[in-house]
Amino acid sequence: VQLQASGGGLVQAGGSLRLSCAASVRTFTAYTWGWIRQAPGKEREFVAAIRWSDRSTYYTDSVKGRFTISRDYAENLVYLQMNSLKPEDTAVYYCAATRRRLITSALALEREYDYWGQGTLVTVSS
């Protein structure tokens, strides 16, 4: 199973983008989904996560109030709505998933995610 992230692009500061993540196998189910980003010259950084069953969501502090992670049961998609974008949000955004229910403290750990997408580039101009 592979994940496919899409929706990236070039946007001005203050603008919005919505990223989507789909599984290559439509019937694929995972308990926890996440978005992780990597800015140029920096290490990967956790952005947001959602648990499929109870819709509980988690965000890194820098995106709280601006980004929203959500899921579409019918289409088996996960979204990342990004509003009020800032130049420092520029990065390649990866979606990731695991069939395991991660405890809260593990959500931000890359190694806990078993399935990854190829990434989609988001560029925010000032």
Side-chain angles (χ1 to χ4, degrees):
V1 176
Q2 294 187 347
L3 305 182
Q4 180 77 31
S6 61
L10 174 63
V11 64
Q12 289 187 333
S16 299
L17 282 175
R18 187 177 77 163
L19 306 183
S20 300
C21 179
S24 59
V25 177
R26 200 172 188 284
T27 56
F28 172 73
T29 57
Y31 195 96
T32 308
W33 294 75
W35 287 95
I36 293 93
R37 67 187 179 186
Q38 186 167 23
K42 296 187 177 181
E43 294 186 353
R44 286 185 180 180
E45 173 192 31
F46 168 79
V47 177
I50 186 169
R51 293 198 181 103
W52 197 255
S53 62
D54 61 7
R55 308 183 190 182
S56 54
T57 56
Y58 304 88
Y59 301 91
T60 192
D61 287 346
S62 64
V63 307
K64 285 180 180 177
R66 300 188 298 122
F67 290 11
T68 302
I69 187 171
S70 62
R71 86 286 180 270
D72 183 325
Y73 278 137
E75 298 298 325
N76 204 23
L77 294 170
V78 174
Y79 299 107
L80 184 68
Q81 177 67 43
M82 306 185 295
N83 299 326
S84 301
L85 282 161
K86 304 175 181 180
E88 50 264 44
D89 294 318
T90 294
V92 176
Y93 284 71
Y94 300 90
C95 63
T98 175
R99 294 182 185 272
R100 294 172 290 123
R101 185 187 187 283
L102 301 181
I103 59 176
T104 302
S105 61
L107 289 170
L109 302 177
E110 286 184 49
R111 66 175 182 267
E112 299 293 345
Y113 292 89
D114 304 307
Y115 303 93
W116 287 79
Q118 85 292 353
T120 185
L121 176 62
V122 172
T123 304
V124 184
S125 63
S126 57

